[in-house]
Amino acid sequence: MLALARPIRYARTIPINPVLRQFHSAPSPLAQYHFDTADYVTRLESHGLSRTQAEGVIDTLEEIIGESIQTMQGNLVTRAEQDKHHYQQKVDFASLKQTLELSEKTDFVNLKAENERLLGDIERLKQRLREEITRTQAGVRLDLNLEKGRIRDELSTRVVKLADVDTRIENEIGLLRTSMEAVKFNILQYAFAVMSGTGALLLAYLRMFAH
């Protein structure tokens, strides 16, 4: 029992290499590790433990090591799982690439269709603009022709009116000339009558004084 008073020598903790968490094609050496429990029981007995105590310690250590190995094995990945994961990544990448290519083609087709639609709209707008310009020019020409016709008609009407006025003036002038000629003739007749009467009176007066 005095041996139990000895200080317990703790085993040095060995850090687990991070490489163990990477992928492996073969099982870990820890999974195949076995130790001689009888030898360790004997060693513990040599340090003052009873056989029952030594066997209990060894059983506990065996359980702890087994659980540790199972935990580490749970964190490891087999070669088959690695290949499966790699294949799945390749499939996902190929699917993503195909999806991107299809999306790019779809976007290109949609962009091309949209561009063609815009070109069609622009062409239709140009056609409508040309038609509107042609219609406007035709309307302007029609208005100009109508205005020219109206001006010609108005000029013709004014020419007719001026000709009518000229005719009236000529008629009035002719009537005035006729009236003046008649007045002149009447004046001449009156003067001739006066002169004839005056001459007759003079002759009568001269005859009267001659006798």
Side-chain angles (χ1 to χ4, degrees):
M1 296 299 293
L2 294 175
L4 293 175
R6 294 181 181 179
I8 299 175
R9 298 175 61 187
Y10 294 96
R12 183 170 59 89
T13 303
I14 301 175
I16 298 175
N17 192 342
V19 178
L20 294 176
R21 293 185 177 271
Q22 299 178 356
F23 299 108
H24 294 276
S25 59
S28 173
L30 294 175
Q32 299 176 352
Y33 177 75
H34 300 282
F35 60 92
D36 189 357
T37 57
D39 181 59
Y40 281 98
V41 168
T42 303
R43 291 183 183 183
L44 291 175
E45 286 178 347
S46 65
H47 284 81
L49 295 178
S50 65
R51 187 171 185 82
T52 303
Q53 291 175 340
E55 289 178 353
V57 171
I58 293 302
D59 291 339
T60 302
L61 290 175
E62 188 176 6
E63 291 178 0
I64 293 173
I65 293 173
E67 291 177 357
S68 299
I69 291 174
Q70 289 179 358
T71 302
M72 286 188 293
Q73 286 180 344
N75 294 329
L76 298 178
V77 178
T78 62
R79 184 67 179 181
E81 292 177 348
Q82 178 188 1
D83 294 339
K84 181 180 179 181
H85 182 71
H86 182 66
Y87 175 75
Q88 186 64 36
Q89 286 182 340
K90 290 176 65 177
V91 171
D92 293 340
F93 180 76
S95 177
L96 178 61
K97 183 179 179 181
Q98 184 178 4
T99 302
L100 291 176
E101 290 177 353
L102 181 60
S103 177
E104 184 178 358
K105 290 180 180 179
T106 303
D107 293 340
F108 177 75
V109 171
N110 292 334
L111 182 61
K112 184 177 180 181
E114 184 68 18
N115 189 23
E116 291 178 354
R117 186 183 66 81
L118 290 176
L119 290 176
D121 293 340
I122 292 173
E123 190 63 30
R124 284 192 292 272
L125 288 175
K126 287 182 179 179
Q127 183 65 28
R128 288 180 59 186
L129 182 60
R130 286 193 293 267
E131 292 176 356
E132 190 67 25
I133 291 174
T134 303
R135 189 181 301 110
T136 303
Q137 290 177 348
V140 171
R141 284 196 294 267
L142 179 61
D143 293 338
L144 289 175
N145 292 330
L146 291 175
E147 186 66 20
K148 288 180 180 179
R150 187 184 65 79
I151 292 173
R152 284 195 297 268
D153 294 339
E154 187 175 355
L155 288 175
S156 299
T157 303
R158 290 185 179 182
V159 168
V160 171
K161 289 182 179 180
L162 289 174
D164 186 37
V165 171
D166 290 338
T167 302
R168 290 181 181 179
I169 292 173
E170 291 293 334
N171 292 332
E172 292 293 333
I173 292 173
L175 292 174
L176 288 175
R177 286 177 180 176
T178 303
S179 298
M180 290 178 67
E181 292 293 333
V183 170
K184 286 181 180 180
F185 182 73
N186 291 330
I187 291 172
L188 289 174
Q189 284 183 346
Y190 179 75
F192 182 75
V194 171
M195 291 177 66
S196 298
T198 303
L201 289 174
L202 287 174
L203 289 175
Y205 184 74
L206 290 174
R207 286 178 182 178
M208 185 179 64
F209 282 102
H211 293 288

